[in-house]
Amino acid sequence: MSYNKSVFILNNDRHTLNTISEVCQRLNIETKTLGSGAQLLAQLDHEAPLCIFSTAKLADMDSTALLQHIQQLNDELPVLMVGQSGDVHCAVNAIKQGALDFFTLPVNSRRIQVILQTLLAKDYEQ
């Protein structure tokens, strides 16, 4: 079955981008790569993706502020944060602020696939 959904990716790590994009391609999910938190928020005014994968370290805004803005726009939109494996404080904060999950580098493609399949199934039921 083909889904007409998209995943927004806000990450500049080439390996992470490739891994997420490859999993999405296998699941027939379109990806949109965005360059900044501001660009992501502007895009959310026009489109609601299946989920967002965002780096925990943004150049233009704090990831906590980004999560708060996203929740104000759509409090049901799943956000998955990606950060360094030793950054426990960042991971805990992301989950407390409403992120669905926190991935450490390098991201695990199987784990991404399971989460996306779960989100697709949930979306399909609605």
Side-chain angles (χ1 to χ4, degrees):
M1 176 174 279
S2 178
Y3 296 91
N4 188 16
K5 289 287 178 184
S6 62
V7 168
F8 289 177
I9 305 171
L10 178 57
N11 198 302
N12 60 2
D13 177 68
R14 192 56 44 199
H15 176 73
T16 301
L17 285 170
N18 289 341
T19 302
I20 296 169
S21 295
E22 287 170 7
V23 172
C24 288
Q25 185 177 14
R26 285 195 304 264
L27 296 173
N28 296 318
I29 301 171
E30 177 184 335
T31 59
K32 290 189 180 181
T33 304
L34 303 158
S36 68
Q39 188 180 16
L40 170 69
L41 294 173
Q43 189 68 33
L44 288 176
D45 283 340
H46 308 290
E47 185 178 352
L50 179 66
C51 68
I52 297 168
F53 282 90
S54 176
T55 183
K57 302 290 183 189
L58 299 168
D60 67 331
M61 75 174 53
D62 179 71
S63 60
T64 301
L66 178 69
L67 283 167
Q68 289 172 346
H69 287 299
I70 292 169
Q71 288 177 340
Q72 289 171 352
L73 293 170
N74 182 347
D75 64 349
E76 294 183 16
L77 180 57
V79 178
L80 303 128
M81 300 298 287
V82 180
Q84 298 296 324
S85 61
D87 202 348
V88 176
H89 178 71
C90 185
V92 170
N93 275 348
I95 299 300
K96 282 184 178 179
Q97 293 297 322
L100 177 64
D101 206 342
F102 189 92
F103 288 78
T104 57
L105 296 173
V107 294
N108 180 299
S109 63
R110 178 69 184 132
R111 190 166 154 220
I112 292 170
Q113 183 172 336
V114 168
I115 286 179
L116 290 176
Q117 286 173 322
T118 301
L119 292 173
L120 284 170
K122 181 180 175 184
D123 190 63
Y124 183 73
E125 290 173 358
Q126 294 176 357

